[in-house]
Amino acid sequence: MRLIRKVCLFLFFLSLVLGGDRIAVATKVIGSVHYIRGKGESTILKKGHIFESGDILKTDKGSFAALIFIDDKSALKVKENTEIIISGKRSAKAIAKEINLDGGIIRAQVNKQQRGDFIIRTSVSVASVKGTDFWFISDKNTGDSIIGIEGVVMLMNQKSGESLNITSGITGFSTQDGAIQSFKTDPKTIPNDPTAGEGDDKILEIEFKDASGKRKTLIIKYN
């Protein structure tokens, strides 16, 4: 409990220091991962990178990335061959989050949201949650599937407007032609999470510029 409070305090401090459109921090990078900001070039992603609203993240074959949002410690895990746009609209106390998934696999571990839902959007479906844990798998040829791990997530097909609530142990499937259905999850279909079971303390070093333009390093110890 004490450690969780420390992490929350660090994240609160980080949100005050960074402000603006800066909304999340990379906590783990495996293999070849890149990000693009605005009209800039593709740049190698490193642990501690600070994401701004609108940043694009891409993972190559065999790679993986994890990030946390600085307002509430919600986590996003990004598997190989995945592309997302990370967006967030800041208020005084929270960030309204939206992830645009352009094919691939992500895991969202969403803490209770203080402002609106945590939304994941593809060309086929929209997933809307306030606090839960699930995998989202998007295939441009077949459609989208959600594997519920904890809590409830609403899956809506954008073509038909139909929706289903997906709970723990249930998989929802939303297709290109507007169909939507759910069934019991086959454990073999749950993707592997490289960060699962990690319990050792970790150090996150974040470089930033203060109000006077001086470069400083914020060191966060978390697990």
Side-chain angles (χ1 to χ4, degrees):
M1 181 64 70
R2 184 175 298 174
L3 181 58
I4 292 174
R5 288 175 180 170
K6 286 182 179 180
V7 172
C8 290
L9 286 172
F10 271 125
L11 292 174
F12 175 70
F13 171 74
L14 185 62
S15 67
L16 292 177
V17 171
L18 299 179
D21 293 329
R22 299 171 182 176
I23 56 176
V25 180
T27 57
K28 194 176 190 71
V29 179
I30 299 174
S32 179
V33 183
H34 296 78
Y35 75 93
I36 300 172
R37 177 167 296 163
K39 296 180 180 179
E41 297 181 354
S42 179
T43 304
I44 295 174
L45 182 70
K46 296 180 179 180
K47 182 179 178 180
H49 170 77
I50 302 168
F51 289 98
E52 295 184 0
S53 182
D55 281 356
I56 299 172
L57 185 153
K58 296 182 178 181
T59 55
D60 295 337
K61 183 177 181 180
S63 62
F64 173 87
L67 59 94
I68 56 173
F69 288 89
I70 62 178
D71 63 330
D72 61 5
K73 218 181 75 168
S74 289
L76 199 65
K77 316 286 183 65
V78 186
K79 297 280 284 184
E80 65 178 350
N81 299 323
T82 298
E83 180 176 337
I84 61 173
I85 301 175
I86 306 165
S87 301
K89 186 176 181 180
R90 297 181 64 99
S91 65
K93 296 182 179 180
I95 299 171
K97 310 167 187 70
E98 181 169 324
I99 307 300
N100 285 274
L101 175 59
D102 187 21
I105 302 173
I106 60 177
R107 182 179 185 176
Q109 295 173 300
V110 184
N111 293 321
K112 187 176 181 180
Q113 299 298 286
Q114 296 182 24
R115 181 188 173 191
D117 294 335
F118 186 117
I119 295 173
I120 299 176
R121 188 185 304 273
T122 72
S123 60
V124 176
S125 314
V126 176
S128 178
V129 301
K130 290 186 179 295
T132 188
D133 183 357
F134 63 97
W135 286 95
F136 195 124
I137 303 169
S138 181
D139 187 313
K140 295 180 180 180
N141 296 318
T142 59
D144 304 323
S145 60
I146 283 182
I147 301 174
I149 303 298
E150 231 178 66
V152 181
V153 53
M154 186 187 77
L155 175 64
M156 184 188 77
N157 185 284
Q158 296 200 77
K159 183 174 182 178
S160 65
E162 295 184 7
S163 63
L164 288 174
N165 284 330
I166 308 302
T167 57
S168 175
I170 300 297
T171 295
F173 192 59
S174 175
T175 65
Q176 297 275 1
D177 60 6
I180 191 167
Q181 60 180 314
S182 63
F183 45 87
K184 187 176 180 180
T185 298
D186 179 352
K188 295 179 181 179
T189 64
I190 301 175
N192 174 57
D193 183 347
T195 63
E198 289 188 347
D200 296 331
D201 288 346
K202 296 182 282 291
I203 299 295
L204 181 61
E205 296 185 0
I206 301 170
E207 291 188 353
F208 64 95
K209 291 182 179 180
D210 62 16
S212 63
K214 293 182 179 179
R215 187 172 295 277
K216 295 186 176 181
T217 301
L218 175 65
I219 300 175
I220 299 176
K221 184 177 182 181
Y222 69 100
N223 70 357

